[in-house]
Amino acid sequence: MGRILRSREQLKLLGDYLIMCRSGALKELSKRLDHRHYLLEYPHKYSVADLRQIADGVFETFLQSLLQFASHHVYNCDLCTQRGFICQLCNSSDIIFPFEFDTTTRSVTPLSPLPAARAPPSLCPACSQEPGPSLEPF
């Protein structure tokens, strides 16, 4: 259930990008959602059909297909890519996105130190990149 919640949170963040995009990707995602638009808005809301699919083991596959479609669009769309971020800690030139849970960490307060357990000491704690010259020790 933890992996499903994580996927739902990623889908909500991806949905925020698609809602702002003018390419029509949201329309395509809406077709794939099959009238389950709450999946884009409320990560903690589940229908009875969702719970049945979770029990049958197919809901996670369904979510993964949605995540793959949406993330592929964001990474390849000029408009969506421009809404990405540059790491504020190490200033790496790589564009990072808040839905990249495996490689980024979101802090509650900007530029606050993150626990060392979050990333190896040689990597930036926010984006898992090699620290740039502007990274100052905490």
Side-chain angles (χ1 to χ4, degrees):
M1 196 69 171
R3 287 191 316 263
I4 290 172
L5 178 59
R6 178 183 160 112
S7 295
R8 292 282 308 275
E9 289 170 346
Q10 284 179 299
L11 188 61
K12 189 214 179 303
L13 291 169
L14 280 161
D16 293 343
Y17 279 83
L18 297 183
I19 287 169
M20 298 298 291
C21 186
R22 294 175 288 182
S23 71
L26 182 61
K27 237 180 211 182
E28 177 61 30
L29 185 64
S30 292
K31 289 178 192 174
R32 293 172 186 238
L33 284 170
D34 193 30
H35 302 291
R36 294 194 249 186
H37 299 305
Y38 61 89
L39 292 174
L40 291 178
E41 298 174 24
Y42 309 105
H44 300 287
K45 189 181 241 183
Y46 294 89
S47 70
V48 174
D50 295 341
L51 296 174
R52 284 189 183 137
Q53 287 184 337
I54 290 170
D56 294 341
V58 296
F59 191 68
E60 191 171 1
T61 305
F62 170 68
L63 286 177
Q64 290 305 316
S65 69
L66 296 174
L67 288 171
Q68 184 176 11
F69 169 79
S71 62
H72 181 266
H73 170 79
V74 170
Y75 291 135
N76 294 296
C77 173
D78 289 336
L79 295 172
C80 292
T81 307
Q82 291 175 17
R83 292 186 61 225
F85 297 92
I86 301 295
C87 179
Q88 295 176 351
L89 293 176
C90 71
N91 292 323
S92 171
S93 62
D94 293 339
I95 298 171
I96 58 176
F97 295 94
F99 57 83
E100 296 174 325
F101 291 174
D102 293 334
T103 58
T104 60
T105 302
R106 296 177 71 187
S107 177
V108 176
T109 58
L111 296 176
S112 66
L114 302 174
R118 293 250 174 149
S122 63
L123 299 178
C124 174
C127 69
S128 299
Q129 298 289 325
E130 292 292 325
S134 64
L135 181 65
E136 298 177 15
F138 294 115

